[in-house]
Amino acid sequence: MEFLLTSLVVCVTPGTGVLFTIAAGLSRGTRAAVIAAVGCTLGVVPHMVAAITGLAALLNASAVAFQTLKYLGVAYLLYMAWSTLRDKSELTAERESEPRSAGRTILTGVLINILNPKLTLFFFAFLPQFVSTDEPYAFLRMTELSAYFMLITFAVFVAYGRFAAAMRSHVISRPRVVSWMRRTFAAAFAALGARLAFL
């Protein structure tokens, strides 16, 4: 349950994938938003594979190195809190004159997340919080947790996209609401970093 709640906090944080899904929902409706969510979720896979294999190898090599990585994770989570707080961009979307094909939308979503190196760094900071250094099946445990994370990612992105599609005829951007959301997410990242520091 703790992992699921933490994953939910992470997934609802606006990032490039969320913004792409919201833009798809605002400009082209629910179907486009769901397709965009599929693409963004698939784009997470390479980062998770890199993190899982790297963490498993590190755990087998040295428990001390694994603990060191946890503290590097603390620094990264605090950095995410700071960068989220400093981000002043608005959620906007442009209407397209020609509809995109499903394949093109999925490809764009995949590329958006594949080309985001912060995802790999995040998983290196995130997964060690929920894997013990004496875990007998650490690789399988991290794979299981990552599968749950992907399901949550997809569900959250679809929810964002459906909401955006429902609001497309109303206000596209509300700076005050976005600012409040970013402060909340920044506080959540800082709390995760503090928790990891005292594990």
Side-chain angles (χ1 to χ4, degrees):
M1 181 58 67
E2 186 179 24
F3 175 83
L4 296 178
L5 291 175
T6 304
S7 297
L8 183 61
V9 170
V10 171
C11 290
V12 298
T13 304
T16 55
V18 167
L19 295 180
F20 175 69
T21 304
I22 289 176
L26 286 171
S27 60
R28 300 189 303 280
T30 300
R31 179 177 180 274
V34 173
I35 293 172
V38 170
C40 290
T41 302
L42 292 176
V44 173
V45 174
H47 298 283
M48 289 198 306
V49 170
I52 290 171
T53 54
L55 288 170
L58 187 60
L59 181 57
N60 289 332
S62 171
V64 173
F66 192 79
Q67 287 296 116
T68 301
L69 185 60
K70 281 192 175 186
Y71 287 106
L72 292 176
V74 171
Y76 178 68
L77 289 170
L78 293 177
Y79 164 76
M80 288 189 68
W82 175 246
S83 60
T84 300
L85 195 60
R86 293 186 60 193
D87 187 1
K88 303 300 182 183
S89 61
E90 297 181 355
L91 300 179
T92 59
E94 298 178 357
R95 294 185 177 275
E96 297 180 342
S97 57
E98 297 181 2
R100 288 187 179 185
S101 67
R104 182 181 173 190
T105 300
I106 290 176
L107 178 61
T108 302
V110 169
L111 290 176
I112 282 174
N113 274 344
I114 283 182
L115 297 176
N116 183 3
K118 290 183 179 180
L119 280 175
T120 299
L121 294 175
F122 175 76
F123 282 113
F124 269 98
F126 183 64
L127 288 180
Q129 298 185 57
F130 303 94
V131 180
S132 173
T133 54
D134 58 356
E135 181 80 38
Y137 302 103
F139 182 85
L140 293 178
R141 177 64 172 165
M142 287 186 284
T143 301
E144 176 189 7
L145 294 177
S146 296
Y148 286 134
F149 184 88
M150 281 190 66
L151 289 175
I152 293 171
T153 297
F154 177 72
V156 169
F157 278 31
V158 168
Y160 266 124
R162 287 178 62 90
F163 178 76
M167 297 297 292
R168 64 190 299 204
S169 61
H170 301 290
V171 179
I172 289 179
S173 177
R174 296 192 178 189
R176 290 184 179 179
V177 174
V178 173
S179 178
W180 177 84
M181 288 175 58
R182 286 202 170 99
R183 285 195 292 268
T184 301
F185 294 139
F189 278 124
L192 288 174
R195 177 191 178 278
L196 179 56
F198 293 103
L199 280 179

